[in-house]
C-alpha cells in the first residue's frame, strides 16, 4: 500500500534555487514502492506546476488536497514562514514539519530572540529596525562592534553584512532592506560556530543529534557563498567534551519546545571561547537545507540515520495524530532524548 505524497518546492523567495536543490535530494531518496509521488513546483513568478505541467492555482490546490501528506521543501518567505503551513491547514492536508506559529516565529529573527530569551536561553544583544528606523546613539553604546546587519525574515544568510565601523551601518541597512524592510542589527558573537539538529519521532520522542562545527575556509563568515559554494568545512561530531555536547543538545531541545516546533529544527550556536561558557543561540531554521551538502542530513547520517530513513521518519511523523503526541501529558524530560 503506497502513501500519496506531494513534494512542494520552489517558491518566490530568494531561496528558490536552494529549495529546488533540497527537493531534488528528497525526491532522489524517496522509496517509490512506499510512496506515490507528485511533484508540485511554485515558480519564481508564483505559477504552479504539477509533475512538470503548468496548472491553474485552483486545480493545483485540488491536487494537494488529494494527498495523504505533503512534504513542503520550501525555504524563506512565502514558504517557510508559515504561509504554506497555513494553506495546508486550510486544505486539511497533513504535512511534514513545523506548524504555522513555529514557522512564522522561527522566520523572524527578532521574534525568535525574544521567545528564546524568555525561555532563559542566551542570545546576542540586538535591536530590530523597521522601515525608516535607524540606530540610535543608545543602541550604539549598548552594542559592541562588530555587528551583523541581517534581514529579519530571510534565510541562507541572504543580505547579511558584517560591519566593523559604525560608518558602514547605513550602507549595510540599505543592502539588508533589499531583502526585507525589517532588519536586525546584532552584536557579533565571538566563538566557535556549532549547529545542532533536532528531530521528533512519530512517537513524540525528541532527539538532538551530534553537534556539527563549521569552519569557514576563507577570511569571511558563513554567508550564502560559504554555505553553497564549498567555502566551509563541517566537522561531525564537533571535537567537544561530553559535558559541552550535552549542554548544546539540551539547549537545542529547549529551543525546539520554546518555539512549539514539530518534526525538525536546526539550532545554530556560538560557543564562546572566553567568558561565560553558556552557548549563544545565533539563529534557528524551521526547515533547514536538505541538499546533499546541508548540515541537517549530514548530522543525522553521522548519527546512523541515512537520508532515506530520515525522510521516512519525518513523513511518518506527519501521518500520526500530532495533537495526541504533542499533548500526551508526558513530561518533557521523558520525551527528550539526546543522540550523541
Amino acid at each position: 500500500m503506497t502513501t500519496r505524497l506531494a513534494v512542494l518546492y520552489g517558491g518566490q523567495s530568494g531561496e528558490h534555487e536552494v529549495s529546488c536543490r533540497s527537493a531534488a535530494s528528497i525526491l532522489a531518496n524517496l522509496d517509490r514502492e512506499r510512496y506515490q509521488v507528485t511533484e508540485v513546483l511554485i515558480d519564481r513568478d508564483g505559477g504552479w506546476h504539477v509533475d512538470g505541467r503548468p496548472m491553474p492555482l485552483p486545480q493545483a490546490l485540488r491536487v494537494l488536497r488529494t494527498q495523504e501528506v505533503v512534504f513542503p521543501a520550501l525555504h524563506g518567505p512565502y514558504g517557510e514562514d508559515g504561509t504554506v503551513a497555513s494553506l495546508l491547514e486550510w486544505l486539511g492536508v497533513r504535512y511534514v514539519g513545523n506548524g504555522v506559529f513555529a514557522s512564522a516565529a522561527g522566520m523572524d529573527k527578532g521574534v525568535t530572540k525574544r521567545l528564546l530569551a524568555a525561555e532563559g536561553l542566551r542570545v546576542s544583544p540586538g535591536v530590530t529596525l523597521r522601515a525608516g528606523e535607524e540606530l540610535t546613539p543608545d543602541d550604539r553604546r549598548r552594542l559592541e562592534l562588530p555587528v551583523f546587519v541581517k534581514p529579519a525574515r530571510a534565510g541562507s544568510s541572504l543580505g547579511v553584512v558584517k560591519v566593523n565601523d559604525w560608518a558602514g551601518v547605513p550602507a549595510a541597512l540599505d543592502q539588508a532592506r533589499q531583502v526585507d524592510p525589517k532588519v536586525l542589527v546584532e552584536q557579533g558573537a565571538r566563538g566557535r560556530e556549532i549547529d545542532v539538529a533536532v528531530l521528533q519521532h512519530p512517537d513524540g520522542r525528541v532527539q538532538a543529534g551530534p553537534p556539527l562545527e563549521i569552519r569557514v575556509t576563507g577570511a569571511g563568515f558563513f554567508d550564502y557563498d560559504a554555505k553553497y559554494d564549498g567555502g566551509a568545512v563541517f566537522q561531525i561530531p564537533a571535537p567537544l567534551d561530553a559535558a559541552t555536547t550535552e549542554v548544546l543538545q539540551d539547549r537545542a531541545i529547549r529551543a525546539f519546545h520554546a518555539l512549539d516546533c514539530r518534526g525538525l529544527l536546526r539550532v545554530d550556536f556560538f560557543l564562546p571561547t572566553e567568558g561565560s561558557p553558556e552557548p549563544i543561540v545565533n539563529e534557528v531554521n524551521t526547515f533547514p537545507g536538505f541538499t546533499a551538502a546541508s548540515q541537517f542530513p549530514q548530522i543525522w547520517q553521522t548519527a546512523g540515520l541515512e537520508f532515506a530513513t530520515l525522510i521516512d521518519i519525518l513523513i511518518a511523523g506527519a501521518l500520526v495524530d500530532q495533537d495526541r503526541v504533542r499533548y500526551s501529558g508526558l513530561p518533557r524530560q521523558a520525551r527528550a532524548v539526546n543522540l550523541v
Side-chain angles (χ1 to χ4, degrees), residues 7-238:
V7 178
L8 177 61
Y9 64 100
Q12 294 180 267
S13 80
E15 296 178 81
H16 177 96
E17 182 58 35
V18 180
S19 172
C20 291
R21 293 187 203 176
S22 288
S25 295
I26 293 165
L27 290 164
N29 284 276
L30 284 169
D31 183 348
R32 299 307 172 106
E33 293 185 0
R34 296 185 62 178
Y35 305 110
Q36 179 184 330
V37 180
T38 300
E39 297 185 34
V40 182
L41 166 69
I42 305 172
D43 66 30
R44 295 180 187 274
D45 297 322
W48 289 63
H49 305 256
V50 176
D51 289 334
R53 302 187 309 275
M55 189 169 288
L57 177 58
Q59 291 184 27
L61 295 184
R62 280 196 288 272
V63 170
L64 288 179
R65 204 168 203 164
T66 65
Q67 306 301 311
E68 293 175 77
V69 62
V70 174
F71 201 129
L74 291 157
H75 302 295
Y78 311 110
E80 191 184 349
D81 58 355
T83 52
V84 167
S86 179
L87 173 65
L88 296 173
E89 295 274 0
W90 178 71
L91 291 174
V93 181
R94 296 179 186 273
Y95 57 93
V96 169
N98 285 287
V100 177
F101 173 79
S103 298
M107 176 59 62
D108 190 309
K109 296 177 178 63
V111 172
T112 299
K113 286 168 66 74
R114 289 194 290 273
L115 290 171
L116 296 184
E119 175 67 17
L121 297 171
R122 185 182 180 191
V123 298
S124 292
V127 59
T128 299
L129 301 177
R130 291 168 176 79
E133 295 181 338
E134 304 292 334
L135 281 180
T136 67
D138 284 344
D139 293 330
R140 296 190 183 202
R141 282 191 289 271
R142 185 166 58 88
L143 303 176
E144 298 177 5
L145 288 169
V147 295
F148 283 87
V149 179
K150 307 176 178 181
R153 297 163 295 195
S156 292
S157 297
L158 289 170
V160 177
V161 182
K162 183 179 181 180
V163 178
N164 294 302
D165 188 297
W166 293 119
V169 168
L173 288 173
D174 288 343
Q175 182 171 330
R177 282 173 171 153
Q178 293 177 22
V179 179
D180 185 358
K182 185 178 180 182
V183 171
L184 176 67
V185 181
E186 187 175 63
Q187 181 177 303
R190 296 174 177 84
R192 299 164 65 183
E193 293 189 59
I194 308 289
D195 292 352
V196 178
V198 181
L199 177 66
Q200 184 178 37
H201 288 257
D203 63 2
R205 289 178 299 120
V206 178
Q207 291 183 316
L212 170 154
E213 183 164 10
I214 300 169
R215 298 183 186 274
V216 179
T217 55
F221 62 95
F222 194 44
D223 60 5
Y224 185 94
D225 291 336
K227 288 181 179 181
Y228 301 111
D229 293 334
V233 174
F234 303 147
Q235 187 167 357
I236 320 170

Side-chain angles (χ1 to χ4, degrees), residues 237-266:
L240 300 166
D241 60 72
T244 301
T245 294
E246 185 176 352
V247 168
L248 286 161
Q249 292 175 323
D250 171 78
R251 303 306 186 264
I253 290 173
R254 284 174 58 186
F256 182 94
H257 289 301
L259 297 173
D260 196 27
C261 288
R262 183 179 74 196
L264 73 167
L265 183 71
R266 196 189 75 224

